[in-house]
Amino acid sequence: MFTPYFKKEFTLIMIKPDGVVDGHTGAILERIEKEGFQIRALKRLVLSESQAGAFYYVHRERPFYGELVKFMASGPIVAAVLERDNAVAHWRKVIGATDPAEAEEGTIRKLYARSKGENAVHGSDSVENARLEAGFFFAGLDLLS
Ligand code: IDP
Ligand code: MG
């Protein structure tokens, strides 16, 4: 769907409400550029619970789904499309494990996450999901510049 707009791979990331409210937006955006990503689209918004539920629909049967949806709708998030060689895997490496207690030193979740649920950032887990998730937040026109 967005293939013509990108020279390299892309991923969809979010700074979650804890990351925004705790004042880490600037540090995370700086880290994104230091890691060699181009920020191709960027917005700050508050999701409704039904929007957050739709984004995390794949997790609807997991025990933490209700809690996750409420948390993701609890405050502002920042969503962005990032372009880089190997963007999906590189971002997953930069953010670290889901649970900050298990994340490597220097990763974004180790540095900024509050807990396994409130873990500062999201990253797509595959190129195919990056496509779907980028389309959730952005239109092709937003990615043309
Ligand atoms: P990921 O974000 O590292 O890909 P997933 O397993 O896809 O992790 O889970 C999606 C999100 O759901 C996590 O980032 C986290 O916010 C939340 N989550 C995952 N596992 C748990 C849990 O055991 N308790 C509470 N929240 C969880
Ligand atoms: Mg995931």
Side-chain angles (χ1 to χ4, degrees):
M1 161 209 232
F2 298 132
T3 308
Y5 309 131
F6 294 94
K7 293 196 178 71
K8 300 176 180 170
E9 191 173 293
F10 65 92
T11 190
L12 182 285
I13 74 109
M14 292 185 283
I15 306 175
K16 295 184 179 183
D18 62 317
V20 175
V21 169
D22 293 346
H24 302 307
T25 300
I28 293 169
L29 292 177
E30 187 175 8
R31 177 70 175 271
I32 284 168
E33 292 195 317
K34 281 213 179 92
E35 294 289 342
F37 291 101
Q38 288 290 324
I39 300 171
R40 292 294 309 269
L42 181 73
K43 70 168 120 181
R44 183 185 192 271
L45 70 158
V46 178
L47 293 173
S48 67
E49 286 194 20
S50 70
Q51 289 168 339
F55 184 88
Y56 281 112
Y57 185 73
V58 291
H59 292 315
R60 66 196 175 283
E61 306 293 353
R62 311 266 293 266
F64 56 81
Y65 180 71
E67 182 191 339
L68 174 62
V69 167
K70 276 203 162 26
F71 167 61
M72 289 302 295
S74 70
I77 63 156
V78 171
V81 175
L82 308 184
E83 181 173 10
R84 184 191 188 280
D85 286 332
N86 206 24
V88 168
H90 190 73
W91 179 249
R92 298 288 304 195
K93 188 174 151 68
V94 167
I95 67 178
T98 307
D99 184 345
E102 291 165 15
E104 280 182 39
E105 288 301 323
T107 59
I108 289 175
R109 282 169 168 168
K110 184 69 168 189
L111 287 166
Y112 306 124
R114 291 177 180 169
S115 65
K116 187 173 187 183
E118 303 189 4
N119 60 358
V121 283
H122 167 82
S124 307
D125 63 7
S126 67
V127 170
E128 179 55 27
N129 282 334
R131 223 169 263 286
L132 293 170
E133 293 177 2
F136 185 87
F137 286 107
F138 300 100
L141 278 178
D142 299 322
L143 297 161
L144 274 175
S145 60

